[in-house]
Amino acid sequence: MKYMIYQMDVVVASPKENQEKIEKWVETEVTKSKPDTIVLPEMWNAGYALDQLDELADDNGRVTIPFLRNLAKRHQINIIAGSIANKKGKDIYNTSYIFNRTGDLVYEYDKIHLVPMLDEPKFLNGGEQKAKVFELDGVKMGVIICYDLRFPELMRSLALQGAEVIHVVAQWPTSRKEHWKYLQHARAIENQCYVISANSSGTCNGTDFAGESFIINPSGELVQSGPPEKEATVETSIDLSIVEEIRSNIPVFTSRVPHLYGE
């Protein structure tokens, strides 16, 4: 399966400009390489203009869903659509949408863990539904958002549901870039799956974002990465056959003894 990741410099507080950037990127980069799947970063519609989200957030995907559906259908690509600020009633969530090649919305996920260091709990609601696997091109996959990466039980739950690829969409800061790197390697190794991340670049309110989007294989080996702290396209193909091979050679899941782990 061929991937392209948009390591995007999100324009803060400008949903229209960011939508135009994504459309231009797809038209210029994606059409040349013809990937199976593209991945966008976290909060690409508004960035971390948290105090303006009441005005900037989409209304239950009213703008975002048709935009992404049309891109997927027109270019026949799967889209791991990063995440957006998204109103549901009076509350605002950090929502990820997944589309298949025919433009069907196959999965929706609201970020469960909110970042205290960036004051997310003051402006956003945490997701209230369990993370689940979805399928693209017959492959079981999952998605988590940024700070979720720090909670190993979340990604393990997706692996136990059969996920072979887990995507991490983020706006992860440069100040904690070592955590970004090592946590992804650890999650790939312990869950014996591909970890594919899309991080943003640029700056918002004094916070620099690290870039360095990764593709890590089920042995924890780096397949490809983006450059630090600048906008880029990351492109590679992954070999899904090695997931089953590694899980057979080191049978972590059949070796589990969950009744002895406790809470």
Side-chain angles (χ1 to χ4, degrees):
M1 178 176 283
K2 187 175 182 179
Y3 268 88
M4 289 185 75
I5 298 165
Y6 190 13
Q7 186 170 292
M8 180 181 175
D9 190 342
V10 175
V11 182
V12 179
S14 185
K16 186 175 186 297
E17 192 170 353
N18 288 315
Q19 186 171 306
E20 289 171 352
K21 282 191 69 169
I22 290 170
E23 188 162 25
K24 182 179 179 181
W25 177 74
V26 170
E27 295 291 346
T28 57
E29 298 294 328
V30 173
T31 54
K32 287 188 298 185
S33 292
K34 300 187 184 305
D36 299 295
T37 303
I38 66 170
V39 192
L40 305 176
E42 179 186 22
M43 291 284 277
W44 60 259
N45 65 336
Y48 267 85
L50 295 178
D51 58 350
Q52 301 175 61
L53 292 187
D54 197 51
E55 298 174 2
L56 297 172
D58 200 351
D59 182 6
N60 208 21
R62 182 177 58 85
V63 174
T64 305
I65 291 173
F67 166 65
L68 294 169
R69 174 178 287 128
N70 289 336
L71 277 184
K73 287 175 67 175
R74 188 161 72 246
H75 298 281
Q76 296 185 323
I77 50 173
N78 303 308
I79 303 179
I80 310 294
S83 73
I84 61 163
N86 190 35
K87 280 186 181 179
K88 297 183 179 183
K90 295 181 179 180
D91 297 322
I92 302 174
Y93 293 84
N94 187 337
T95 302
S96 181
Y97 293 120
I98 311 298
F99 293 85
N100 66 17
R101 296 175 186 273
T102 57
D104 299 319
L105 176 60
V106 299
Y107 183 62
E108 176 180 337
Y109 168 74
D110 294 325
K111 182 179 182 181
I112 293 172
H113 302 98
L114 301 180
V115 187
M117 299 84 78
L118 293 177
D119 291 331
E120 281 188 346
K122 294 181 182 179
F123 301 98
L124 296 167
N125 284 69
E128 296 148 6
Q129 301 295 321
K130 292 182 179 179
K132 296 181 180 179
V133 298
F134 54 89
E135 289 193 16
L136 293 174
D137 295 347
V139 180
K140 290 185 176 181
M141 300 179 169
V143 65
I144 64 172
I145 302 175
C146 203
Y147 191 51
D148 285 337
L149 181 62
R150 292 187 178 274
F151 300 86
E153 54 270 49
L154 177 59
M155 196 175 280
R156 174 50 60 90
S157 74
L158 292 169
L160 290 173
Q161 294 174 55
E164 299 174 88
V165 182
I166 300 177
H167 307 87
V168 186
V169 300
Q171 287 207 347
W172 197 283
T174 302
S175 60
R176 292 182 283 277
K177 66 179 182 180
E178 295 304 307
H179 297 192
W180 171 245
K181 174 182 177 181
Y182 292 124
L183 285 169
Q184 288 185 73
H185 281 275
R187 298 293 168 264
I189 293 167
E190 68 195 6
N191 292 300
Q192 300 176 320
C193 66
Y194 277 96
V195 172
I196 297 178
S197 62
N199 197 23
S200 65
S201 55
T203 301
C204 178
N205 297 329
T207 298
D208 297 323
F209 297 107
E212 295 190 280
S213 303
F214 291 119
I215 298 97
I216 300 169
N217 75 16
S219 288
E221 298 164 344
L222 181 64
V223 176
Q224 187 64 272
S225 66
E229 300 179 16
K230 67 178 182 180
E231 186 166 279
T233 297
V234 185
E235 182 177 353
T236 195
S237 294
I238 63 171
D239 179 3
L240 289 158
S241 69
I242 71 171
V243 178
E244 183 178 355
E245 178 185 345
I246 289 168
R247 288 178 176 179
S248 297
N249 291 340
I250 308 174
V252 168
F253 295 103
T254 57
S255 298
R256 294 176 68 250
V257 192
H259 71 278
L260 294 181
Y261 299 156
E263 293 291 329

